[in-house]
Amino acid sequence: MPSLATPTFEQHATGLGIGTPSPRLSWRFILSDADSDNDWMQTSYDLEVQRDGTSVENYHVDSTDSVLVPWPSTPLQSRERASVRVRAHGNKSVTEWSAWTAVECGLLNRSDWSAVPITSEKPIPSPDVEAALRPLRFRKVFTVSGNSVARLYITGLGVYRAFLNGTRVGDHEMAPGWTSYRHRLNYETFDVGPLLKDGENVLAVEVAEGWYAGRLAFHGGFRRIYGPDIGVMAQVEVTSSDGRTTVATDSAWQCSPSATVRAEIYDGEVYDLREETAWTTSADGKWEGVRMLDLPKADLVSPNAPPVRVTQTVKPIKRITTPAGKTILDFGQNLVGRLRVNLAPLATLASGTRVVFTHAEVLEHGELGIRPLRAAKCQDTLIVDGKIAIKEWYPNYTFHGFRFVEVQGFPEASLLNSVVADVIHTDMLRTGHFTCSHSKVNQLHENTLWSMRGNFLSIPTDCPQRDERLGWTGDIQVFCNSASFLYNTAGMLSDWLLDLKAEQLLDTDDGVPPVVVPDVLQTLWPHAPLAVWDDVTVLTPWDLYRSYGDAGFLERQYDSMVAWVDRGVPRGSDGLWVSTLQQLGDWLDPAAPPDKPQEARTSGTLVADAYLIRVTEVLAQASAVLGKTEEAARYTADAHRIKTAFQNKYITPAGLLVSDSQTGLALALVFDLFPSAATRAAGAARLINLVRAARFCVATGFAGTPLITHALTRAGQPQMAYRMLLETSRPSWIYPILMGATTIWERWDSMLPDGSINPGEMTSFNHYSLGSVVSWLHGSVAGVRCLEVGWRTFAVSPIPGGTLTSAEASYETAYGRIESKWAITEGDSFVLDILVPANTRALVILPHERSGATEGQDGKIPEGQGRWVGSGRHHYESRWSNLTDWPPAPLPGLFDMFHPEGNSKDTIA
Ligand code: BGC
């Protein structure tokens, strides 16, 4: 009999401060080893709801649903708390009751706020950089007696940290995160009961510019984008038997400049120890009055996204003295976060001495490679006091993308043992794992994971180090499926989509979303429709819906999806994109010149049109899910019409494509654009030829990379995909690994073989998009693929190949854990062990059961293959004979004699 994990609410991490009065509930099933092969399916469930001061409400619901079931009781009010537990009845048994779990609403109405934002009486510039605002400190002393429950509701115009009686409130970093502040401003809810004292209390808050007022964007960027003043808005509510006491930010608070004299996301922080006081507990320092600001016009929202936190600490692996005599720490891993420094060794330095830490991702010819950082200094400075009042220091309001840190002014002997790196990112639940018998493929997967961690910091960004770190829509559009396997992205990405929708629908009326969300590019990027990037409006809500089974994503985004397809896409008379528009298209095709990444082999308009068909089909399906039958019929007909137009425009009767490229053909195969089985077969054959002619090197950019291995698999040639995966020469997925990469690079060759950084001015070493190949590792190599939305049914259909002798993946679905583990044993058997969660079913297909194409026309598993199984552990063994089609040969070329590497077998990892 399965047991139940603690129920969860909506896509919220904890249930505390939730912004939904009727939060939907989900429960996961945990199978013990004794549950093997028990095919457990839910038939109904019991819910008990205990609201404050009332008796327990009991509900029995006949339903097989265990994910996002409706709130059974009347809606909760602001601040109202309820405890819930659940028990599931199944076809074989009834589970035990889950543990009780609490849900508590945040402040649902603007009128719940008595606080107003406060700032200093006058703007305080940083002594370090005139244009930057110096971080501010605020404090308020208040008295409470006989408290029982206490909550802090807080947000910042900037990024903040709060302290109650000297203790840090919570562990959120860069709070309240980055949203489209003009439309949506997150507030956070903390249980501060344990920090309150009977009697006098001190609430202290520090605020820095963050994304609100700091410099953002490239080419110099912009400052104070969201407003001229940084500040805080907070209220502590203490509820006891006598009623509720509220202490809110108002004119009675005090303000002082911070000892952190500058804090900028791109440039880093300057902390002056000489100015530090015991400000969180005492009135030390120069305190002045505050100025009250208007309540923000933006909606005050309680995020579903988990907060940013420190998730890991990494020690440096070595100290290097460079050829130029500089001191550098190597952390062994390109990561995103900040240093934490033990201050004890600085006690002997003269007051006013500056210790400087400069961060970078790579070394170039032995020295810190800072050119890719462009106009981001990535430098933190500590000004020493001559006495040490605090034990350790770390910057609080910045983050850097780095593996290497050049250190100036720190006593050398103790350096290695005095500095660590704290990794920070949105603290999502890790859900997916993959490993296999090939160490380089494992490293590729690991690098993708690190690039996801580094770029999921409040919003999904392009890169974490240079003067960008922006929510480029195309990047997450191509990576969403890979990301949603690795971590639970539901809260974070669905919140971000609300920003996208707000900026698309409220800031303009042309239906076109901004190319970065939140939109900060202003004059740098005139608003223009762009396929692949803007297609995020439709494809990302759909991908999230598929991963998490939450139709609410589609419901909330529907207007945004429709606006893009109906009004945003500029069309010619054939319904396809107008062809005179510049597209980013297959951005970063490896053949594009370093300074012209949009000049790809594949026509940008063809890429846009292929995507438009896919987007229209998805919108038709989303309409159907939402019961909008008329719209579903209209978009289905539209998709059919433009697909015919595409075929007439781009595909010859023999199945050749106008853009005769890996990306063009991959799009046509995966988006199912060929008019007949014969042309499809011809297209597949042509793609194979191109891949063999390229000697298995990658020839795809942003648009083609997520698809190429899937396309080869659908063409019935998974060994070609394995061969590309394992290619080592440039451009390939393995080349960066041979160059020592620990993250996914922006360019296939961000680092050139001679150790110099690619001359392109846009060269990051931490961009996740080219890592989107991991979705093929999960879905085809380990063989775990979602069939029915939310993984209610799924396929386990591993495709062994290449030189791999084993692979395994696991994935925590909303129902429970999936496992798939295969190995080819010495006795020539293929062995597969799987775990299927309760209340789900899996379609298991063993390799020898496949025939021809491994996926059908539309990516679905062809009927009649394999067997359906229910929950529990299952074990399969079949005979295995070595692959006859490995390794595939390159196409013999006219100029083979000039290729000193000769047979491409030599370049297989
Ligand atoms: C970003 C990309 C982005 C692109 C679009 C770059 O600077 O880093 O990842 O999608 O611009 O132009």
Side-chain angles (χ1 to χ4, degrees):
M1 173 174 68
S3 58
L4 300 185
T6 311
T8 53
F9 303 93
E10 292 292 323
Q11 305 292 354
H12 199 274
T14 62
L16 176 65
I18 202 163
T20 319
S22 299
R24 294 167 299 168
L25 288 137
S26 310
W27 48 92
R28 289 172 52 250
F29 298 92
I30 302 166
L31 292 177
S32 69
D33 280 340
D35 293 320
S36 182
D37 200 10
N38 64 6
D39 195 10
W40 198 97
M41 298 296 274
Q42 181 184 295
T43 51
S44 64
Y45 58 86
D46 296 320
L47 276 178
E48 288 191 348
V49 180
Q50 164 82 76
R51 299 171 77 139
D52 278 352
T54 58
S55 53
V56 174
E57 302 166 22
N58 300 294
Y59 300 91
H60 178 82
V61 183
D62 286 324
S63 168
T64 56
D65 293 343
S66 54
V67 177
L68 299 166
V69 307
W71 176 248
S73 183
T74 51
L76 296 166
Q77 309 287 315
S78 286
R79 311 175 177 90
E80 192 182 349
R81 190 177 175 83
S83 294
V84 177
R85 65 174 187 163
V86 64
R87 173 170 73 176
H89 298 257
N91 53 347
K92 309 216 164 159
S93 55
V94 186
T95 68
E96 298 290 329
W97 284 99
S98 72
W100 285 99
T101 181
V103 61
E104 182 180 308
C105 270
L107 303 181
L108 300 176
N109 314 300
R110 283 175 88 77
S111 56
D112 293 323
W113 287 90
S114 46
V116 291
I118 53 171
T119 185
S120 73
E121 281 172 326
K122 50 184 187 306
I124 306 179
S126 157
D128 209 66
V129 174
E130 199 52 17
L133 289 173
R134 181 166 177 171
L136 298 174
R137 291 171 172 178
F138 299 90
R139 74 190 300 270
K140 167 84 178 176
V141 180
F142 62 97
T143 310
V144 292
S145 57
N147 65 83
S148 53
V149 174
R151 297 285 180 263
L152 169 65
Y153 303 100
I154 181 167
T155 185
L157 308 180
V159 284
Y160 75 84
R161 289 185 309 153
F163 301 83
L164 193 52
N165 299 321
T167 303
R168 175 90 190 274
V169 177
D171 55 1
H172 302 185
E173 303 293 337
M174 302 297 288
W178 192 10
T179 48
S180 174
Y181 295 134
R182 281 185 208 94
H183 303 293
R184 303 174 65 255
L185 177 60
N186 284 345
Y187 71 88
E188 295 173 303
T189 306
F190 294 102
D191 174 5
V192 289
L195 303 180
L196 269 191
K197 293 187 302 203
D198 216 16
E200 198 171 272
N201 291 272
V202 184
L203 178 59
V205 183
E206 185 171 63
V207 184
E209 292 183 318
W211 298 281
Y212 188 88
R215 175 165 65 93
L216 289 178
F218 41 89
H219 295 175
F222 307 97
R223 286 186 183 275
R224 306 190 199 177
I225 293 175
Y226 297 98
D229 300 300
I230 56 174
V232 58
M233 177 166 125
Q235 68 193 44
V236 176
E237 296 185 358
V238 184
T239 312
S240 66
S241 46
D242 302 340
R244 189 162 67 225
T245 316
T246 303
V247 177
T249 42
D250 60 16
S251 60
W253 282 54
Q254 294 173 295
C255 178
S256 85
S258 167
T260 299
V261 299
R262 173 164 67 79
E264 295 186 274
I265 290 176
Y266 293 164
D267 284 352
E269 291 194 13
V270 179
Y271 179 66
D272 195 338
L273 265 163
R274 297 168 304 180
E275 299 213 20
E276 194 48 286
T277 61
W279 70 284
T280 59
T281 48
S282 79
D284 284 0
K286 295 175 232 149
W287 292 94
E288 293 180 345
V290 296
R291 182 158 48 95
M292 293 200 292
L293 300 169
D294 291 340
L295 200 64
K297 289 201 179 62
D299 291 340
L300 295 165
V301 290
S302 167
N304 274 306
V308 174
R309 289 196 176 96
V310 172
T311 61
Q312 188 179 344
T313 295
V314 177
K315 288 188 178 156
I317 55 169
K318 60 177 178 235
R319 179 163 66 86
I320 302 167
T321 304
T322 73
K326 309 255 170 72
T327 301
I328 287 184
L329 288 178
D330 176 1
F331 286 85
Q333 172 65 51
N334 192 22
L335 56 87
V336 175
R338 60 186 187 207
L339 297 184
R340 185 149 47 87
V341 182
N342 171 13
L343 299 184
L346 306 183
T348 53
L349 299 183
S351 181
T353 307
R354 287 180 170 240
V355 179
V356 182
F357 303 93
T358 309
H359 307 68
E361 299 187 292
V362 289
L363 298 181
E364 187 176 32
H365 306 306
E367 303 294 338
L368 204 64
I370 56 170
R371 179 172 58 83
L373 306 174
R374 301 194 308 215
K377 275 207 194 103
C378 307
Q379 197 172 75
D380 297 323
T381 303
L382 192 57
I383 306 175
V384 169
D385 194 9
K387 62 180 188 308
I388 298 298
I390 55 173
K391 284 201 190 114
E392 62 173 15
W393 168 81
Y394 44 90
N396 285 292
Y397 309 110
T398 190
F399 56 91
H400 307 294
F402 65 99
R403 170 175 168 172
F404 300 96
V405 181
E406 186 176 308
V407 186
Q408 288 163 275
F410 202 101
E412 297 265 313
S414 38
L415 181 59
L416 200 57
N417 293 323
S418 300
V419 181
V420 293
D422 282 335
V423 176
I424 68 169
H425 55 83
T426 297
D427 193 11
M428 301 160 289
L429 186 75
R430 176 84 192 270
T431 46
H433 291 83
F434 170 89
T435 51
C436 68
S437 56
H438 199 297
S439 63
K440 300 278 185 302
V441 176
N442 291 342
Q443 185 69 47
L444 173 67
H445 193 268
E446 196 62 13
N447 290 3
T448 309
L449 188 79
W450 274 100
S451 282
M452 174 171 179
R453 295 175 73 187
N455 283 294
F456 273 61
L457 202 157
S458 185
I459 62 156
T461 56
D462 57 333
C463 59
Q465 72 302 83
R466 67 178 177 229
D467 52 352
E468 284 199 65
R469 318 186 194 184
L470 304 176
W472 286 95
T473 52
D475 301 48
I476 188 57
Q477 189 277 108
V478 300
F479 190 66
C480 182
N481 277 332
S482 304
S484 301
F485 190 89
L486 297 172
Y487 281 93
N488 184 329
T489 63
M492 176 174 160
L493 292 183
S494 64
D495 279 2
W496 178 80
L497 282 173
L498 294 174
D499 287 324
L500 172 110
K501 172 181 160 179
E503 294 186 335
Q504 176 197 11
L505 300 184
L506 302 177
D507 292 350
T508 61
D509 53 14
D510 58 6
V512 179
V515 72
V516 301
V517 176
D519 184 9
V520 291
L521 292 184
Q522 306 179 25
T523 49
L524 285 174
W525 195 287
H527 214 224
L530 281 173
V532 183
W533 273 252
D534 297 344
D535 290 330
V536 73
T537 48
V538 176
L539 299 180
T540 304
W542 182 253
D543 288 344
L544 292 180
Y545 165 66
R546 297 263 320 146
S547 290
Y548 302 108
D550 188 347
F553 299 148
L554 302 179
E555 224 167 274
R556 289 203 292 273
Q557 297 301 128
Y558 193 71
D559 291 350
S560 150
M561 300 163 101
V562 166
W564 169 237
V565 174
D566 283 3
R567 294 187 284 123
V569 180
R571 299 170 189 253
S573 53
D574 56 2
L576 295 172
W577 276 81
V578 288
S579 48
T580 45
L581 276 181
Q582 276 264 20
Q583 297 282 351
L584 295 177
D586 198 25
W587 181 254
L588 284 170
D589 175 331
D595 58 339
K596 296 192 181 77
Q598 73 283 13
E599 290 189 2
R601 273 167 273 214
T602 312
S603 144
T605 312
L606 180 146
V607 171
D609 287 335
Y611 257 91
L612 182 58
I613 295 160
R614 167 84 187 136
V615 158
T616 313
E617 285 174 350
V618 164
L619 183 52
Q621 292 177 63
S623 303
V625 170
L626 298 177
K628 298 175 189 291
T629 38
E630 250 172 59
E631 288 87 342
R634 176 158 67 84
Y635 290 120
T636 305
D638 279 358
H640 188 73
R641 189 168 53 89
I642 58 175
K643 194 184 272 193
T644 308
F646 183 99
Q647 290 162 349
N648 291 336
K649 188 173 174 186
Y650 298 114
I651 303 177
T652 72
L656 294 179
L657 194 75
V658 163
S659 277
D660 186 32
S661 63
Q662 287 188 12
T663 292
L665 290 157
L667 281 165
L669 283 165
V670 175
F671 291 172
D672 196 18
L673 303 179
F674 287 99
S676 62
T679 49
R680 181 182 157 82
R686 179 64 195 151
L687 176 61
I688 306 292
N689 266 2
L690 286 180
V691 167
R692 292 177 62 202
R695 296 177 162 265
F696 310 103
C697 281
V698 173
T700 54
F702 265 43
T705 301
L707 305 182
I708 181 71
T709 45
H710 291 287
L712 293 166
T713 308
R714 284 196 199 180
Q717 298 270 5
Q719 296 313 321
M720 291 285 167
Y722 269 104
R723 183 60 190 83
M724 283 187 86
L725 176 76
L726 298 177
E727 175 60 34
T728 57
S729 61
R730 204 168 37 127
S732 68
W733 282 285
I734 302 295
Y735 163 76
I737 289 164
L738 299 183
M739 293 294 290
T742 57
T743 37
I744 299 293
W745 296 347
E746 178 172 26
R747 295 173 182 270
W748 291 105
D749 55 356
S750 285
M751 183 68 83
L752 302 178
D754 69 354
S756 21
I757 296 169
N758 186 298
E761 58 93 45
M762 189 196 74
T763 299
S764 122
F765 291 85
N766 204 351
H767 249 69
Y768 47 58
S769 50
L770 302 182
S772 50
V773 67
V774 299
S775 80
W776 183 75
L777 298 180
H778 306 146
S780 293
V781 176
V784 177
R785 285 176 37 204
C786 170
L787 294 178
E788 202 184 326
V789 292
W791 296 79
R792 193 161 194 165
T793 63
F794 58 95
V796 182
S797 52
I799 307 173
T803 53
L804 272 61
T805 53
S806 67
E808 61 183 283
S810 64
Y811 181 60
E812 300 292 343
T813 71
Y815 297 91
R817 183 181 172 83
I818 293 175
E819 289 174 11
S820 163
K821 180 176 181 174
W822 63 260
I824 295 162
T825 64
E826 275 175 18
D828 287 343
S829 309
F830 176 86
V831 181
L832 175 67
D833 284 288
I834 70 169
L835 175 65
V836 179
N839 215 20
T840 69
R841 294 180 77 78
L843 175 60
V844 184
I845 305 170
L846 299 174
H848 73 273
E849 294 167 344
R850 298 180 170 283
S851 53
T854 50
E855 295 171 23
Q857 280 280 99
D858 50 5
K860 297 212 174 84
I861 307 267
E863 287 289 313
Q865 288 196 34
R867 76 219 28 82
W868 283 96
V869 297
S871 67
R873 293 199 176 272
H874 305 273
H875 175 82
Y876 305 90
E877 271 188 55
S878 59
R879 273 177 56 81
W880 178 257
S881 45
N882 278 338
L883 296 166
T884 49
D885 48 359
W886 182 263
L891 215 57
L894 260 185
F895 300 102
D896 272 358
M897 59 272 208
F898 301 130
H899 283 290
E901 70 271 28
N903 191 328
S904 92
K905 275 185 201 167
D906 302 344
T907 62
I908 300 178

